[in-house]
Amino acid sequence: MSKSSGLPRLLIGSEGGESRELDERDMRNISGHYGEDEEESERQIVVGICSMMKKSKSKPMTEILERLCKFEYITVDIFPEEVILNEPVEKWPLCDCLISFHSKGFPLDKAVNYAKLRNPLLINDLNMQYFIQDRREVYRILQEEGIDLPRYAVLNRDPDRPEECNLVESEDHVEVNGEVFHKPFVEKPVSAEDHNVYIYYPTSAGGGSQRLFRKIGSRSSVYSPESTVRKTGSYIYEEFMPTDGTDVKVYTVGPDYAHAEARKSPALDGKVERDSEGKEIRYPVMLTAMEKLVARKVCLAFKQTVCGFDLLRANGHSFVCDVNGFSFVKNSMKYYDDCAKVLGNMVMRELAPQFHIPWSIPMEAEDIPIVPTTSGTMMELRCVIAVIRHGDRTPKQKMKMEVRNALFFDLFEKYGGYKNGKLKLKKPKQLQEVLDIARQLLAELVLHNDCEIEEKKSKLEQLKTVLEMYGHFSGINRKVQLTYMPNGQPKASSEEEDVLKEGPSLLLVLKWGGELTPAGRVQAEELGRAFRCMYPGGQGDYAGFPGCGLLRLHSTYRHDLKIYASDEGRVQMTAAAFAKGLLALEGELTPILVQMVKSANMNGLLDSDSDSLTDCQQRVKARLHEIMQKKLDFSEEDYNKLAPTGSPSLVNSMEVIVNPVRTCDRVHTLIKSLTCQICKRLEDPKSADLQLYHSETLELMLQRWSKLERDFRMKNGRYDISKIPDIYDCVKYDTQHNSSLDLEDTLELFRLSRALADIIIPQEYGITKAEKLDIASAYCLPLVKKIQLDLQRTHEDEAVNKLHPLYSRGVMSPGRHVRTRLYFTSESHVHSLLNIFRYGGLLDEQKDEQWKQAIDYLSAVTELNYMTQIVIMLYEDNNKDPSSEERFHVELHFSPGVKGCKDEDNAPMGFGFRPASSENHEKQTDPGSLEDLSQDEPDRAALTEPINIQRKSPLIRSRKAGSMEALSESNTSSRGLAYRIFPSSSRQSPEIKPSGLGFEGCSLVPSIYPLETLHNSLSLKQVDEFLTTLCKNGSETQFKRLKSLSAMFETHSQPSIDVDNQETPMSTPVQNQPAAQSLWYTSSPPSTVSSAGPSSPSVAGPASSNFRFNSE
């Protein structure tokens, strides 16, 4: 375009129907020219904009139209809203090409009539916009096009007779037209204009629903305790897709261009993330080849050149869940440039020949695929794997009883117990059935005292009492297990009668308690918040760099995060609270649990059946029982028998105990004293309404201790040492949370039971090294295999989410992605995994000084407390040869979790990260991390990030509690991980007391021990070979064990572990279509889209057991 020809014309309709031309001032910020530099023809192509004024004058529309006018032969005319609403279509302005789209209040019928009258080139088809307003039609079209969408069913209701519909609602599922949807499921109004979408959660996750709506201020959804579906109106019910808390919005401009952005899912906590200008934070992401194909299909199927739709990335696959029609990206200059260029080229390609305008297709590609590469001299963090024990809980309680009544056998059969001889009942409906049986049997006992009911009355009463607690079932705090015994119970336990009966029976195990406490939630959330600092730039406000740090990493889809938890409620809630802290979420834990936490209970990944012990464990327990029943002082032989590994923590505990039976006598006396004191308190009128921690009453506390008093000393006068962990559990809980009662001798009971527990608990997992390894592999072989797979999968980039480099302004390294796998589990898995690393032969401590120091430190750790962490971090050195052993570097870290009572003085210190080192003035760059974190002020997180923990519990935080401290160490290996989670004891505020009650009976939350580096110069090859050998040996042992078991029933075979996850290449030719006036019969030259995405696993329902170890 020559300068003399003047500026192109952008005509903006005024309210009076006149048009004005944009002057030079309006165009001063536009740079660059589109189209050919030719003499202006007399004839201009007029592009008409027919929409509501709010849309026509929006910032994105203005930005794009200004750029469109840079085309020499294009003029834009915006139809005035008054004309659109009030004038007949014959009086509407003329145009050659029409951009028209529906929004609230827009007369779509008139626009359709205008298009028939004037026959302009349509950028977005108008008739299809009727379909876009109805979600049923949208889903029908998507299905016809073969586009993946969530499994769904439509419920159509007659407004006059809403009750006449094909809907059956149950507690944890709905049945729509015969199709069952288990919670969580989504309920969407059929009208696309109605944004009140509800997500319903299962009772096992806390129930209730998340109510989504059009953004109001900083909220896009709210949690509601309401669990029943809406009873009026027509809805689509669909399966909930676990997307790890992020949605992808895709914007097409024609079939060959798609821009994608990630934003936080509105269902997660309902808080809209906004930037400093108040705009919702979104990050451009790269679409996979399969997703680009989906974008093309959506654009062509709905005949909308400019079209927005929503993608859910779940289970390694992408599903379309909504098509919005005409929509633009906000705040992306690159997108504005691209959109105007694509639209301008389309208009010119279609209309230039008709008007004899000289124009040729520019040869540049419209969407250049750029594969980002990462380089640098420092190591790049590639993978973080953490195995974490759950947070602080109420004492676990258990009752066993042998049952023979036909009602129990009927229940066992009803829920498929005979399939493998075991049954676990957790659902409210199931627990209600057990309660009904208990009530029925007790009623019969009252009526007929001599009736043939073999179940003990006291046990049935306890079963009834526990199941009636809380007034409702939530599925998280109680469970009943039934195990089939063909010849009755083999031998009487401490709780059972000594009379053996013949014939088959069921062992009923009732478990209750063990709920995550408010303190446990705070611990998990705080640890999650601190854990961010494991990641590059994680300290403070992204360490002063725009675009670094975990939160940005996650929001931009460069963070490949999966969180797994065992099926225990306390473990799942710990995982949800941790995710809340890690990703700075707000609100209830239930929505976070449902969307972020995967339950891996189907294949034994994180669950263990503690009631079915291995032969080795049975032998170990019998030996422990024998040694601990001696009425003599421990001899040299006992030390060798009980602590063959010479572990200092064991030896110290044995020195405290001296004589095991005498110590047990003392413990039993102290428990009796405690129950007497509680009884006296109960008789005191002042204590009548005393509320203990977590809403416990004195009666419940008395029940807890009385049961332990009865069970600890058996009828034969010997002690049941299996109760020692329970005694320690209870006294630890009361010392921490109920210290305001000032009960006498609790500290002595704590000291003695702890010394006993410090022997019993770790040694139950094996006494000799061989036993420890054997038991450990029985517990966590699937987890070890999964960890090995996680480490191997890290350097495969294709299936990993990456950020689009062209659009990522302010993001310093768009190519970087980090794989995070978090496994939340119970004590047994943590003990077992640690034993595998300690005794499995990873390194020779005689030859490796750092490993020797690590083993010495681990041997001094007495307890793997709540929130214990085992962390593996994998780094890549991009300067090393890809085949070199030095390319990938592994670090192993450990924290024994929460600080116990009276721990400050004798806590073992790890090597390499003493608090004094933070004062070290030699600041060295840590080659094991991406940036020199010590350059940044470690206090920034505490200053920039408001932490509202004080509202929830009286946790008195030290200045640095919200961040990690960046430390460097000169007297040990400089490659150590320079992080410390939570303030060390020397830094705590003087106001912190070890225990005591806060408001609402919430006790102070103990801090967590910092992570200590066990080793930081392992190669990936080393670790991989170690894990391979371990899995091979473990599998052989398990095979022999399975072979030796008599096949009473058809047992569940071990789930196959699929490590291949092969990608299935697809090639989809797109047909070239005949030309016509509408854009929908013409496209760019024929193109073949070849795509290779991960093979799509069939989407199973919530109860599916198809858990496969692929790229998950």
Side-chain angles (χ1 to χ4, degrees):
M1 192 189 331
S2 62
K3 292 277 180 192
S4 60
S5 63
L7 284 164
R9 292 172 295 151
L10 171 59
L11 303 173
I12 299 182
S14 66
E15 288 302 313
E18 299 168 2
S19 297
R20 73 173 178 86
E21 203 167 311
L22 253 72
D23 60 21
E24 200 162 345
R25 285 196 310 271
D26 292 319
M27 290 297 194
R28 66 177 177 267
N29 291 325
I30 308 295
S31 59
H33 295 279
Y34 298 104
E36 304 299 311
D37 194 7
E38 301 277 347
E39 283 298 309
E40 184 178 352
S41 164
E42 289 298 314
R43 180 70 165 92
Q44 285 280 308
I45 295 172
V46 178
V47 176
I49 310 297
C50 177
S51 65
M52 301 302 280
M53 196 54 75
K54 185 182 176 185
K55 301 288 182 183
S56 303
K57 288 191 171 178
S58 67
K59 187 190 173 194
M61 183 69 96
T62 305
E63 294 275 3
I64 289 161
L65 294 183
E66 285 176 351
R67 287 160 171 75
L68 193 59
C69 286
K70 285 291 187 180
F71 278 83
E72 183 179 355
Y73 297 101
I74 291 179
T75 299
V76 173
D77 191 357
I78 296 176
F79 293 13
E81 188 173 293
E82 190 183 72
V83 170
I84 295 169
L85 296 176
N86 303 326
E87 297 288 343
V89 294
E90 291 78 12
K91 291 192 177 180
W92 287 13
L94 295 174
C95 67
D96 305 301
C97 170
L98 182 68
I99 296 177
S100 181
F101 53 94
H102 178 266
S103 62
K104 193 175 179 182
F106 181 76
L108 186 56
D109 294 348
K110 287 176 80 174
V112 169
N113 291 334
Y114 175 82
K116 281 180 187 168
L117 177 70
R118 304 294 183 201
N119 198 26
L121 174 73
L122 293 177
I123 294 294
N124 277 31
D125 185 88
L126 291 165
N127 285 306
M128 290 300 289
Q129 293 182 31
Y130 289 112
F131 293 134
I132 291 172
Q133 292 173 54
D134 188 328
R135 287 192 171 99
R136 292 168 294 196
E137 292 298 321
V138 169
Y139 275 30
R140 177 185 63 78
I141 293 166
L142 289 170
Q143 230 168 3
E144 284 173 3
E145 292 297 323
I147 293 167
D148 286 334
L149 60 161
R151 184 174 66 88
Y152 76 97
V154 177
L155 181 74
N156 289 314
R157 275 197 181 99
D158 182 338
D160 300 324
R161 294 190 295 278
E163 68 285 347
E164 290 179 18
C165 63
N166 205 344
L167 173 78
V168 181
E169 183 173 13
S170 301
E171 187 166 42
D172 264 341
H173 71 268
V174 289
E175 193 176 320
V176 183
N177 307 326
E179 186 102 14
V180 175
F181 294 89
H182 292 278
K183 291 181 180 177
F185 61 75
V186 184
E187 179 187 64
K188 295 178 174 177
V190 293
S191 167
E193 299 296 298
D194 186 343
H195 296 276
N196 295 295
V197 174
Y198 291 4
I199 299 168
Y200 295 90
Y201 299 122
T203 49
S204 61
S209 54
Q210 193 79 10
R211 306 191 163 191
L212 281 61
F213 41 78
R214 209 180 246 294
K215 285 193 288 277
I216 300 172
S218 65
R219 295 217 72 77
S220 58
S221 76
V222 65
Y223 177 77
S224 161
E226 182 56 60
S227 288
T228 55
V229 299
R230 288 173 276 191
K231 297 298 185 285
T232 55
S234 296
Y235 299 96
I236 287 178
Y237 289 90
E238 69 180 51
E239 203 162 43
F240 176 80
M241 292 282 145
T243 61
D244 297 329
T246 320
D247 286 355
V248 179
K249 300 194 89 62
V250 183
Y251 301 86
T252 69
V253 188
D256 301 314
Y257 180 94
H259 172 96
E261 290 187 338
R263 60 149 190 192
K264 188 169 81 177
S265 167
L268 198 54
D269 62 357
K271 175 90 190 308
V272 179
E273 289 184 324
R274 297 190 182 275
D275 61 17
S276 55
E277 294 174 19
K279 298 184 178 101
E280 184 180 14
I281 294 175
R282 294 180 176 187
Y283 296 97
V285 295
M286 294 185 79
L287 294 173
T288 64
M290 284 295 280
E291 288 168 338
K292 286 182 181 178
L293 188 61
V294 167
R296 181 184 183 87
K297 281 183 175 181
V298 169
C299 179
L300 292 171
F302 289 90
K303 301 180 181 177
Q304 307 291 299
T305 302
V306 179
C307 187
F309 66 92
D310 293 355
L311 266 184
L312 300 175
R313 284 174 167 175
N315 304 322
H317 209 61
S318 299
F319 302 86
V320 176
C321 67
D322 198 10
V323 177
N324 307 309
F326 193 99
S327 49
F328 282 141
V329 177
K330 299 170 183 70
N331 309 310
S332 170
M333 294 299 153
K334 176 74 174 64
Y335 171 80
Y336 299 150
D337 292 345
D338 291 347
C339 184
K341 185 162 60 176
V342 174
L343 286 176
N345 286 339
M346 268 183 190
V347 171
M348 294 302 292
R349 186 173 63 229
E350 297 300 322
L351 299 179
Q354 290 180 30
F355 301 128
H356 309 291
I357 295 170
W359 184 84
S360 60
I361 298 172
M363 292 311 292
E364 60 183 303
E366 286 172 354
D367 189 12
I368 307 159
I370 290 184
V371 181
T373 57
T374 312
S375 60
T377 52
M378 286 192 276
M379 294 239 183
E380 181 182 351
L381 178 64
R382 295 303 305 275
C383 182
V384 177
I385 298 166
V387 178
I388 304 171
R389 191 185 170 196
H390 58 75
D392 181 69
R393 56 160 170 77
T394 60
K396 281 197 297 183
Q397 298 184 73
K398 182 160 72 172
M399 181 202 75
K400 291 183 182 180
M401 64 186 285
E402 189 176 12
V403 296
R404 294 170 181 268
N405 193 284
L407 292 170
F408 286 111
F409 279 97
D410 292 345
L411 185 72
F412 191 68
E413 185 175 13
K414 179 180 176 181
Y415 290 109
Y418 287 109
K419 192 176 172 188
N420 59 357
K422 286 180 189 166
L423 187 61
K424 196 182 282 186
L425 304 172
K426 285 183 71 177
K427 292 182 177 173
K429 182 171 176 282
Q430 296 170 332
L431 294 175
Q432 185 64 54
E433 288 178 62
V434 178
L435 177 57
D436 291 344
I437 293 171
R439 284 170 174 167
Q440 186 180 331
L441 295 181
L442 282 167
E444 286 176 24
L445 277 170
V446 171
L447 291 171
H448 315 284
N449 215 8
D450 56 345
C451 68
E452 288 294 309
I453 291 180
E454 297 181 26
E455 284 69 33
K456 283 183 69 179
K457 188 181 176 188
S458 61
K459 296 277 180 165
L460 284 171
E461 281 173 343
Q462 190 168 8
L463 179 64
K464 175 175 171 283
T465 305
V466 171
L467 290 176
E468 286 175 343
M469 275 161 59
Y470 311 109
H472 71 284
F473 296 118
S474 79
I476 267 178
N477 47 25
R478 279 158 294 184
K479 66 180 170 190
V480 170
Q481 286 166 266
L482 291 168
T483 307
Y484 182 80
M485 296 185 296
N487 304 309
Q489 204 163 349
K491 62 172 184 144
S493 75
S494 62
E495 298 181 29
E496 298 296 333
E497 296 285 346
D498 294 328
V499 184
L500 286 174
K501 292 173 183 166
E502 291 183 0
S505 68
L506 294 171
L507 176 66
L508 184 149
V509 181
L510 171 67
K511 295 181 175 180
W512 72 100
E515 296 168 67
L516 192 68
T517 63
R521 288 187 183 201
V522 172
Q523 286 163 357
E525 201 176 321
E526 286 290 270
L527 185 64
R529 189 179 281 115
F531 216 77
R532 290 180 211 162
C533 301
M534 303 278 283
Y535 296 82
Q539 284 174 286
D541 188 13
Y542 307 136
F545 296 98
C548 287
L550 173 81
L551 297 178
R552 196 93 187 264
L553 200 66
H554 191 74
S555 300
T556 54
Y557 256 116
R558 295 172 299 157
H559 186 211
D560 176 18
L561 169 71
K562 295 279 187 301
I563 302 173
Y564 296 94
S566 68
D567 73 341
E568 291 170 320
R570 59 182 167 272
V571 179
Q572 295 194 345
M573 284 302 177
T574 300
F578 185 95
K580 183 178 178 180
L582 182 73
L583 300 175
L585 304 172
E586 292 187 0
E588 302 287 329
L589 290 186
T590 295
I592 299 168
L593 172 61
V594 171
Q595 295 194 60
M596 300 296 298
V597 180
K598 297 173 190 298
S599 181
N601 61 323
M602 287 301 172
N603 60 349
L605 185 69
L606 296 169
D607 290 286
S608 53
D609 187 355
S610 55
D611 292 311
S612 57
L613 304 174
T614 64
D615 295 342
C616 182
Q617 264 181 299
Q618 298 279 21
R619 290 197 305 273
V620 165
K621 285 202 169 188
R623 278 218 321 281
L624 271 174
H625 207 274
E626 179 198 329
I627 296 167
M628 299 300 285
Q629 295 295 346
K630 286 193 172 182
K631 291 188 177 177
L632 303 169
D633 289 4
F634 282 130
S635 64
E636 190 65 36
E637 187 188 353
D638 292 329
Y639 275 91
N640 294 332
K641 270 188 188 174
L642 203 51
T645 57
S647 171
S649 61
L650 285 173
V651 172
N652 291 345
S653 295
M654 289 177 77
E655 286 169 356
V656 171
I657 292 164
V658 183
N659 181 312
V661 171
R662 202 181 304 139
T663 303
C664 286
D665 284 338
R666 180 64 184 150
V667 165
H668 192 254
T669 306
L670 290 168
I671 294 173
K672 282 174 87 168
S673 157
L674 207 61
T675 53
C676 288
Q677 289 178 67
I678 299 168
C679 284
K680 281 180 187 170
R681 289 290 173 91
L682 272 168
E683 290 160 13
D684 183 354
K686 291 178 191 168
S687 306
D689 299 320
L690 186 66
Q691 276 280 305
L692 304 179
Y693 182 70
H694 202 41
S695 305
E696 193 181 29
T697 60
L698 276 171
E699 283 95 339
L700 288 170
M701 187 183 189
L702 180 62
Q703 273 180 29
R704 206 163 22 97
W705 281 108
S706 299
K707 186 174 187 305
L708 284 172
E709 185 188 328
R710 284 195 311 272
D711 294 346
F712 185 39
R713 181 179 274 174
M714 296 182 285
K715 289 174 184 172
N716 58 12
R718 287 159 71 90
Y719 288 103
D720 181 354
I721 63 155
S722 68
K723 299 295 172 196
I724 285 170
D726 298 340
I727 295 167
Y728 175 54
D729 200 23
C730 273
V731 74
K732 180 166 78 169
Y733 181 82
D734 288 331
T735 310
Q736 171 68 39
H737 297 298
N738 293 320
S739 58
S740 61
L741 288 173
D742 289 324
L743 297 169
E744 288 175 23
D745 301 326
T746 48
L747 287 179
E748 188 188 353
L749 178 58
F750 176 84
R751 185 180 66 84
L752 293 176
S753 62
R754 177 172 182 164
L756 288 166
D758 285 348
I759 293 173
I760 301 299
I761 294 172
Q763 297 308 75
E764 278 184 345
Y765 298 98
I767 296 174
T768 65
K769 287 185 181 181
E771 288 167 344
K772 285 179 188 293
L773 276 176
D774 184 65
I775 292 169
S777 63
Y779 269 109
C780 63
L781 194 63
L783 179 58
V784 170
K785 287 180 177 176
K786 183 70 171 64
I787 288 170
Q788 184 181 23
L789 206 62
D790 292 337
L791 289 168
Q792 289 170 346
R793 287 257 160 215
T794 296
H795 42 277
E796 294 178 15
D797 280 11
E798 186 47 46
V800 175
N801 301 308
K802 281 182 281 191
L803 195 64
H804 201 305
L806 292 178
Y807 299 84
S808 310
R809 291 179 186 168
V811 176
M812 293 176 69
S813 53
R816 175 190 298 150
H817 71 267
V818 179
R819 185 185 190 90
T820 299
R821 294 293 178 268
L822 304 173
Y823 300 98
F824 289 86
T825 186
S826 51
E827 192 176 24
S828 56
H829 273 67
V830 177
H831 271 285
S832 301
L833 188 61
L834 201 59
N835 282 343
I836 278 172
F837 283 118
R838 278 177 76 175
Y839 304 112
L842 173 61
L843 291 161
D844 184 346
E845 57 192 274
Q846 304 305 319
K847 296 176 183 172
D848 190 308
E849 183 58 32
Q850 191 182 12
W851 190 240
K852 184 181 184 306
Q853 290 177 345
I855 295 299
D856 289 346
Y857 164 62
L858 290 174
S859 299
V861 170
T862 56
E863 180 182 6
L864 303 186
N865 209 340
Y866 305 126
M867 303 310 301
T868 292
Q869 309 132 60
I870 298 167
V871 180
I872 301 165
M873 299 180 80
L874 174 68
Y875 293 92
E876 182 176 7
D877 186 344
N878 288 286
N879 294 323
K880 295 285 190 290
D881 187 272
S883 59
S884 160
E885 259 193 63
E886 296 175 352
R887 174 82 176 195
F888 290 98
H889 158 96
V890 178
E891 294 180 347
L892 187 60
H893 312 283
F894 167 78
S895 161
V898 173
K899 292 183 178 178
C901 303
K902 315 297 178 195
D903 258 6
E904 305 296 331
D905 305 329
N906 55 4
M909 289 302 297
F911 288 81
F913 298 110
R914 293 197 186 92
S917 63
S918 60
E919 271 74 62
N920 193 330
H921 297 298
E922 287 184 47
K923 299 289 184 185
Q924 300 172 345
T925 299
D926 173 19
S929 70
L930 268 151
E931 284 113 16
D932 178 6
L933 295 180
S934 57
Q935 288 177 353
D936 209 56
E937 52 177 329
D939 276 338
R940 187 175 294 169
L943 301 173
T944 61
E945 187 180 332
I947 296 172
N948 303 320
I949 214 74
Q950 294 273 3
R951 287 186 290 110
K952 297 171 194 165
S953 83
L955 170 68
I956 301 168
R957 301 166 56 88
S958 83
R959 206 162 59 90
K960 298 197 177 213
S963 67
M964 288 193 185
E965 299 161 44
L967 311 175
S968 60
E969 187 70 67
S970 58
N971 60 344
T972 59
S973 167
S974 65
R975 296 177 60 140
L977 176 71
Y979 310 120
R980 201 167 181 85
I981 293 189
F982 287 98
S984 54
S985 55
S986 61
R987 302 208 169 215
Q988 278 187 333
S989 305
E991 313 100 277
I992 294 193
K993 298 181 179 72
S995 63
L997 287 171
F999 63 88
E1000 296 176 11
C1002 189
S1003 63
L1004 292 166
V1005 180
S1007 56
I1008 294 174
Y1009 280 112
L1011 272 180
E1012 302 286 358
T1013 300
L1014 301 181
H1015 211 284
N1016 58 6
S1017 53
L1018 298 161
S1019 73
L1020 178 58
K1021 186 179 179 221
Q1022 228 177 332
V1023 176
D1024 192 54
E1025 286 172 354
F1026 164 70
L1027 296 176
T1028 301
T1029 307
L1030 206 82
C1031 291
K1032 185 168 175 279
N1033 295 343
S1035 298
E1036 285 169 4
T1037 310
Q1038 279 200 353
F1039 179 71
K1040 287 173 190 167
R1041 190 179 295 131
L1042 284 169
K1043 236 179 148 183
S1044 66
L1045 289 173
S1046 58
M1048 189 84 222
F1049 303 92
E1050 280 182 33
T1051 54
H1052 264 334
S1053 58
Q1054 278 282 349
S1056 60
I1057 296 174
D1058 170 28
V1059 295
D1060 295 328
N1061 188 32
Q1062 293 170 341
E1063 294 189 342
T1064 312
M1066 284 180 59
S1067 180
T1068 309
V1070 179
Q1071 300 298 322
N1072 195 22
Q1073 295 162 320
Q1077 178 66 4
S1078 167
L1079 267 177
W1080 302 109
Y1081 305 100
T1082 164
S1083 178
S1084 51
S1087 61
T1088 302
V1089 181
S1090 173
S1091 62
S1095 56
S1096 58
S1098 59
V1099 182
S1104 162
S1105 60
N1106 296 355
F1107 186 88
R1108 308 194 323 165
F1109 291 170
N1110 48 30
S1111 62
E1112 294 290 293

